[in-house]
mmCIF file with all atom_site columns, all heavy atoms in Angstrom:
data_model
loop_
_atom_site.group_PDB
_atom_site.id
_atom_site.type_symbol
_atom_site.label_atom_id
_atom_site.label_alt_id
_atom_site.label_comp_id
_atom_site.label_asym_id
_atom_site.label_entity_id
_atom_site.label_seq_id
_atom_site.pdbx_PDB_ins_code
_atom_site.Cartn_x
_atom_site.Cartn_y
_atom_site.Cartn_z
_atom_site.occupancy
_atom_site.B_iso_or_equiv
_atom_site.pdbx_formal_charge
_atom_site.auth_seq_id
_atom_site.auth_comp_id
_atom_site.auth_asym_id
_atom_site.auth_atom_id
_atom_site.pdbx_PDB_model_num
ATOM 1   N N   . ILE A 1 145 ? 19.409 17.689 12.333 1.00 0.00 ? 145 ILE A N   1
ATOM 2   C CA  . ILE A 1 145 ? 19.150 16.425 13.026 1.00 0.00 ? 145 ILE A CA  1
ATOM 3   C C   . ILE A 1 145 ? 20.439 15.673 13.337 1.00 0.00 ? 145 ILE A C   1
ATOM 4   O O   . ILE A 1 145 ? 20.448 14.729 14.147 1.00 0.00 ? 145 ILE A O   1
ATOM 5   C CB  . ILE A 1 145 ? 18.174 15.530 12.224 1.00 0.00 ? 145 ILE A CB  1
ATOM 6   C CG1 . ILE A 1 145 ? 17.534 14.498 13.169 1.00 0.00 ? 145 ILE A CG1 1
ATOM 7   C CG2 . ILE A 1 145 ? 18.884 14.866 11.048 1.00 0.00 ? 145 ILE A CG2 1
ATOM 8   C CD1 . ILE A 1 145 ? 16.369 13.761 12.574 1.00 0.00 ? 145 ILE A CD1 1
ATOM 9   N N   . SER A 1 146 ? 21.554 16.111 12.745 1.00 0.00 ? 146 SER A N   1
ATOM 10  C CA  . SER A 1 146 ? 22.844 15.508 13.076 1.00 0.00 ? 146 SER A CA  1
ATOM 11  C C   . SER A 1 146 ? 23.147 15.664 14.570 1.00 0.00 ? 146 SER A C   1
ATOM 12  O O   . SER A 1 146 ? 23.834 14.828 15.164 1.00 0.00 ? 146 SER A O   1
ATOM 13  C CB  . SER A 1 146 ? 23.969 16.171 12.265 1.00 0.00 ? 146 SER A CB  1
ATOM 14  O OG  . SER A 1 146 ? 23.741 16.022 10.885 1.00 0.00 ? 146 SER A OG  1
ATOM 15  N N   . SER A 1 147 ? 22.623 16.726 15.173 1.00 0.00 ? 147 SER A N   1
ATOM 16  C CA  . SER A 1 147 ? 22.870 16.951 16.605 1.00 0.00 ? 147 SER A CA  1
ATOM 17  C C   . SER A 1 147 ? 22.231 15.872 17.469 1.00 0.00 ? 147 SER A C   1
ATOM 18  O O   . SER A 1 147 ? 22.678 15.629 18.598 1.00 0.00 ? 147 SER A O   1
ATOM 19  C CB  . SER A 1 147 ? 22.333 18.321 17.021 1.00 0.00 ? 147 SER A CB  1
ATOM 20  O OG  . SER A 1 147 ? 20.922 18.394 16.864 1.00 0.00 ? 147 SER A OG  1
ATOM 21  N N   . SER A 1 148 ? 21.211 15.194 16.958 1.00 0.00 ? 148 SER A N   1
ATOM 22  C CA  . SER A 1 148 ? 20.548 14.150 17.750 1.00 0.00 ? 148 SER A CA  1
ATOM 23  C C   . SER A 1 148 ? 21.499 12.997 18.038 1.00 0.00 ? 148 SER A C   1
ATOM 24  O O   . SER A 1 148 ? 21.479 12.414 19.131 1.00 0.00 ? 148 SER A O   1
ATOM 25  C CB  . SER A 1 148 ? 19.296 13.636 17.030 1.00 0.00 ? 148 SER A CB  1
ATOM 26  O OG  . SER A 1 148 ? 19.647 13.015 15.806 1.00 0.00 ? 148 SER A OG  1
ATOM 27  N N   . GLY A 1 149 ? 22.345 12.661 17.050 1.00 0.00 ? 149 GLY A N   1
ATOM 28  C CA  . GLY A 1 149 ? 23.322 11.597 17.248 1.00 0.00 ? 149 GLY A CA  1
ATOM 29  C C   . GLY A 1 149 ? 24.378 11.977 18.273 1.00 0.00 ? 149 GLY A C   1
ATOM 30  O O   . GLY A 1 149 ? 24.809 11.148 19.085 1.00 0.00 ? 149 GLY A O   1
ATOM 31  N N   . VAL A 1 150 ? 24.796 13.244 18.233 1.00 0.00 ? 150 VAL A N   1
ATOM 32  C CA  . VAL A 1 150 ? 25.806 13.727 19.182 1.00 0.00 ? 150 VAL A CA  1
ATOM 33  C C   . VAL A 1 150 ? 25.258 13.687 20.609 1.00 0.00 ? 150 VAL A C   1
ATOM 34  O O   . VAL A 1 150 ? 25.887 13.150 21.528 1.00 0.00 ? 150 VAL A O   1
ATOM 35  C CB  . VAL A 1 150 ? 26.247 15.163 18.826 1.00 0.00 ? 150 VAL A CB  1
ATOM 36  C CG1 . VAL A 1 150 ? 27.193 15.713 19.881 1.00 0.00 ? 150 VAL A CG1 1
ATOM 37  C CG2 . VAL A 1 150 ? 26.919 15.179 17.459 1.00 0.00 ? 150 VAL A CG2 1
ATOM 38  N N   . VAL A 1 151 ? 24.064 14.259 20.784 1.00 0.00 ? 151 VAL A N   1
ATOM 39  C CA  . VAL A 1 151 ? 23.444 14.278 22.123 1.00 0.00 ? 151 VAL A CA  1
ATOM 40  C C   . VAL A 1 151 ? 23.141 12.858 22.583 1.00 0.00 ? 151 VAL A C   1
ATOM 41  O O   . VAL A 1 151 ? 23.369 12.502 23.752 1.00 0.00 ? 151 VAL A O   1
ATOM 42  C CB  . VAL A 1 151 ? 22.153 15.130 22.105 1.00 0.00 ? 151 VAL A CB  1
ATOM 43  C CG1 . VAL A 1 151 ? 21.448 15.054 23.459 1.00 0.00 ? 151 VAL A CG1 1
ATOM 44  C CG2 . VAL A 1 151 ? 22.479 16.573 21.760 1.00 0.00 ? 151 VAL A CG2 1
ATOM 45  N N   . GLY A 1 152 ? 22.639 12.026 21.667 1.00 0.00 ? 152 GLY A N   1
ATOM 46  C CA  . GLY A 1 152 ? 22.333 10.636 21.999 1.00 0.00 ? 152 GLY A CA  1
ATOM 47  C C   . GLY A 1 152 ? 23.565 9.866  22.451 1.00 0.00 ? 152 GLY A C   1
ATOM 48  O O   . GLY A 1 152 ? 23.506 9.074  23.398 1.00 0.00 ? 152 GLY A O   1
ATOM 49  N N   . THR A 1 153 ? 24.684 10.104 21.781 1.00 0.00 ? 153 THR A N   1
ATOM 50  C CA  . THR A 1 153 ? 25.942 9.439  22.146 1.00 0.00 ? 153 THR A CA  1
ATOM 51  C C   . THR A 1 153 ? 26.380 9.833  23.554 1.00 0.00 ? 153 THR A C   1
ATOM 52  O O   . THR A 1 153 ? 26.705 8.979  24.388 1.00 0.00 ? 153 THR A O   1
ATOM 53  C CB  . THR A 1 153 ? 27.053 9.800  21.143 1.00 0.00 ? 153 THR A CB  1
ATOM 54  O OG1 . THR A 1 153 ? 26.673 9.347  19.839 1.00 0.00 ? 153 THR A OG1 1
ATOM 55  C CG2 . THR A 1 153 ? 28.374 9.157  21.531 1.00 0.00 ? 153 THR A CG2 1
ATOM 56  N N   . LEU A 1 154 ? 26.374 11.140 23.816 1.00 0.00 ? 154 LEU A N   1
ATOM 57  C CA  . LEU A 1 154 ? 26.794 11.620 25.132 1.00 0.00 ? 154 LEU A CA  1
ATOM 58  C C   . LEU A 1 154 ? 25.858 11.127 26.239 1.00 0.00 ? 154 LEU A C   1
ATOM 59  O O   . LEU A 1 154 ? 26.314 10.674 27.298 1.00 0.00 ? 154 LEU A O   1
ATOM 60  C CB  . LEU A 1 154 ? 26.847 13.156 25.132 1.00 0.00 ? 154 LEU A CB  1
ATOM 61  C CG  . LEU A 1 154 ? 27.901 13.785 24.225 1.00 0.00 ? 154 LEU A CG  1
ATOM 62  C CD1 . LEU A 1 154 ? 27.749 15.299 24.206 1.00 0.00 ? 154 LEU A CD1 1
ATOM 63  C CD2 . LEU A 1 154 ? 29.304 13.409 24.681 1.00 0.00 ? 154 LEU A CD2 1
ATOM 64  N N   . LEU A 1 155 ? 24.547 11.202 25.997 1.00 0.00 ? 155 LEU A N   1
ATOM 65  C CA  . LEU A 1 155 ? 23.576 10.753 26.999 1.00 0.00 ? 155 LEU A CA  1
ATOM 66  C C   . LEU A 1 155 ? 23.700 9.254  27.262 1.00 0.00 ? 155 LEU A C   1
ATOM 67  O O   . LEU A 1 155 ? 23.592 8.798  28.411 1.00 0.00 ? 155 LEU A O   1
ATOM 68  C CB  . LEU A 1 155 ? 22.155 11.070 26.534 1.00 0.00 ? 155 LEU A CB  1
ATOM 69  C CG  . LEU A 1 155 ? 21.705 12.530 26.619 1.00 0.00 ? 155 LEU A CG  1
ATOM 70  C CD1 . LEU A 1 155 ? 20.288 12.675 26.072 1.00 0.00 ? 155 LEU A CD1 1
ATOM 71  C CD2 . LEU A 1 155 ? 21.763 13.040 28.056 1.00 0.00 ? 155 LEU A CD2 1
ATOM 72  N N   . SER A 1 156 ? 23.933 8.496  26.194 1.00 0.00 ? 156 SER A N   1
ATOM 73  C CA  . SER A 1 156 ? 24.034 7.046  26.340 1.00 0.00 ? 156 SER A CA  1
ATOM 74  C C   . SER A 1 156 ? 25.193 6.656  27.242 1.00 0.00 ? 156 SER A C   1
ATOM 75  O O   . SER A 1 156 ? 25.035 5.856  28.184 1.00 0.00 ? 156 SER A O   1
ATOM 76  C CB  . SER A 1 156 ? 24.196 6.392  24.962 1.00 0.00 ? 156 SER A CB  1
ATOM 77  O OG  . SER A 1 156 ? 24.306 4.988  25.097 1.00 0.00 ? 156 SER A OG  1
ATOM 78  N N   . TYR A 1 157 ? 26.362 7.232  26.986 1.00 0.00 ? 157 TYR A N   1
ATOM 79  C CA  . TYR A 1 157 ? 27.533 6.883  27.790 1.00 0.00 ? 157 TYR A CA  1
ATOM 80  C C   . TYR A 1 157 ? 27.415 7.417  29.218 1.00 0.00 ? 157 TYR A C   1
ATOM 81  O O   . TYR A 1 157 ? 27.815 6.748  30.179 1.00 0.00 ? 157 TYR A O   1
ATOM 82  C CB  . TYR A 1 157 ? 28.806 7.403  27.123 1.00 0.00 ? 157 TYR A CB  1
ATOM 83  C CG  . TYR A 1 157 ? 29.239 6.539  25.958 1.00 0.00 ? 157 TYR A CG  1
ATOM 84  C CD1 . TYR A 1 157 ? 29.232 7.024  24.657 1.00 0.00 ? 157 TYR A CD1 1
ATOM 85  C CD2 . TYR A 1 157 ? 29.638 5.221  26.167 1.00 0.00 ? 157 TYR A CD2 1
ATOM 86  C CE1 . TYR A 1 157 ? 29.613 6.230  23.589 1.00 0.00 ? 157 TYR A CE1 1
ATOM 87  C CE2 . TYR A 1 157 ? 30.015 4.415  25.109 1.00 0.00 ? 157 TYR A CE2 1
ATOM 88  C CZ  . TYR A 1 157 ? 30.012 4.918  23.824 1.00 0.00 ? 157 TYR A CZ  1
ATOM 89  O OH  . TYR A 1 157 ? 30.388 4.122  22.773 1.00 0.00 ? 157 TYR A OH  1
ATOM 90  N N   . LEU A 1 158 ? 26.852 8.622  29.364 1.00 0.00 ? 158 LEU A N   1
ATOM 91  C CA  . LEU A 1 158 ? 26.686 9.199  30.695 1.00 0.00 ? 158 LEU A CA  1
ATOM 92  C C   . LEU A 1 158 ? 25.695 8.391  31.523 1.00 0.00 ? 158 LEU A C   1
ATOM 93  O O   . LEU A 1 158 ? 25.974 8.016  32.678 1.00 0.00 ? 158 LEU A O   1
ATOM 94  C CB  . LEU A 1 158 ? 26.213 10.651 30.579 1.00 0.00 ? 158 LEU A CB  1
ATOM 95  C CG  . LEU A 1 158 ? 25.974 11.404 31.888 1.00 0.00 ? 158 LEU A CG  1
ATOM 96  C CD1 . LEU A 1 158 ? 27.261 11.515 32.691 1.00 0.00 ? 158 LEU A CD1 1
ATOM 97  C CD2 . LEU A 1 158 ? 25.392 12.791 31.615 1.00 0.00 ? 158 LEU A CD2 1
ATOM 98  N N   . LEU A 1 159 ? 24.532 8.097  30.936 1.00 0.00 ? 159 LEU A N   1
ATOM 99  C CA  . LEU A 1 159 ? 23.504 7.332  31.637 1.00 0.00 ? 159 LEU A CA  1
ATOM 100 C C   . LEU A 1 159 ? 24.003 5.925  31.962 1.00 0.00 ? 159 LEU A C   1
ATOM 101 O O   . LEU A 1 159 ? 23.785 5.413  33.072 1.00 0.00 ? 159 LEU A O   1
ATOM 102 C CB  . LEU A 1 159 ? 22.241 7.257  30.777 1.00 0.00 ? 159 LEU A CB  1
ATOM 103 C CG  . LEU A 1 159 ? 21.039 6.507  31.361 1.00 0.00 ? 159 LEU A CG  1
ATOM 104 C CD1 . LEU A 1 159 ? 20.570 7.178  32.644 1.00 0.00 ? 159 LEU A CD1 1
ATOM 105 C CD2 . LEU A 1 159 ? 19.904 6.442  30.341 1.00 0.00 ? 159 LEU A CD2 1
ATOM 106 N N   . SER A 1 160 ? 24.682 5.305  31.005 1.00 0.00 ? 160 SER A N   1
ATOM 107 C CA  . SER A 1 160 ? 25.197 3.947  31.222 1.00 0.00 ? 160 SER A CA  1
ATOM 108 C C   . SER A 1 160 ? 26.224 3.923  32.345 1.00 0.00 ? 160 SER A C   1
ATOM 109 O O   . SER A 1 160 ? 26.224 3.003  33.183 1.00 0.00 ? 160 SER A O   1
ATOM 110 C CB  . SER A 1 160 ? 25.826 3.412  29.926 1.00 0.00 ? 160 SER A CB  1
ATOM 111 O OG  . SER A 1 160 ? 24.866 3.298  28.907 1.00 0.00 ? 160 SER A OG  1
ATOM 112 N N   . ALA A 1 161 ? 27.096 4.926  32.373 1.00 0.00 ? 161 ALA A N   1
ATOM 113 C CA  . ALA A 1 161 ? 28.127 4.995  33.423 1.00 0.00 ? 161 ALA A CA  1
ATOM 114 C C   . ALA A 1 161 ? 27.488 5.109  34.808 1.00 0.00 ? 161 ALA A C   1
ATOM 115 O O   . ALA A 1 161 ? 27.912 4.441  35.769 1.00 0.00 ? 161 ALA A O   1
ATOM 116 C CB  . ALA A 1 161 ? 29.050 6.181  33.170 1.00 0.00 ? 161 ALA A CB  1
ATOM 117 N N   . ILE A 1 162 ? 26.450 5.929  34.925 1.00 0.00 ? 162 ILE A N   1
ATOM 118 C CA  . ILE A 1 162 ? 25.767 6.118  36.214 1.00 0.00 ? 162 ILE A CA  1
ATOM 119 C C   . ILE A 1 162 ? 25.071 4.829  36.647 1.00 0.00 ? 162 ILE A C   1
ATOM 120 O O   . ILE A 1 162 ? 25.175 4.399  37.809 1.00 0.00 ? 162 ILE A O   1
ATOM 121 C CB  . ILE A 1 162 ? 24.748 7.276  36.122 1.00 0.00 ? 162 ILE A CB  1
ATOM 122 C CG1 . ILE A 1 162 ? 25.469 8.606  35.906 1.00 0.00 ? 162 ILE A CG1 1
ATOM 123 C CG2 . ILE A 1 162 ? 23.878 7.324  37.374 1.00 0.00 ? 162 ILE A CG2 1
ATOM 124 C CD1 . ILE A 1 162 ? 24.547 9.760  35.588 1.00 0.00 ? 162 ILE A CD1 1
ATOM 125 N N   . LEU A 1 163 ? 24.371 4.178  35.707 1.00 0.00 ? 163 LEU A N   1
ATOM 126 C CA  . LEU A 1 163 ? 23.620 2.963  36.037 1.00 0.00 ? 163 LEU A CA  1
ATOM 127 C C   . LEU A 1 163 ? 24.555 1.813  36.420 1.00 0.00 ? 163 LEU A C   1
ATOM 128 O O   . LEU A 1 163 ? 24.260 1.044  37.348 1.00 0.00 ? 163 LEU A O   1
ATOM 129 C CB  . LEU A 1 163 ? 22.738 2.554  34.851 1.00 0.00 ? 163 LEU A CB  1
ATOM 130 C CG  . LEU A 1 163 ? 21.561 3.486  34.547 1.00 0.00 ? 163 LEU A CG  1
ATOM 131 C CD1 . LEU A 1 163 ? 20.919 3.119  33.221 1.00 0.00 ? 163 LEU A CD1 1
ATOM 132 C CD2 . LEU A 1 163 ? 20.538 3.440  35.674 1.00 0.00 ? 163 LEU A CD2 1
#
Side-chain angles (χ1 to χ4, degrees):
I145 201 168
S146 300
S147 63
S148 63
V150 175
V151 175
T153 299
L154 294 174
L155 285 178
S156 180
Y157 283 114
L158 179 62
L159 181 61
S160 297
I162 294 171
L163 291 170

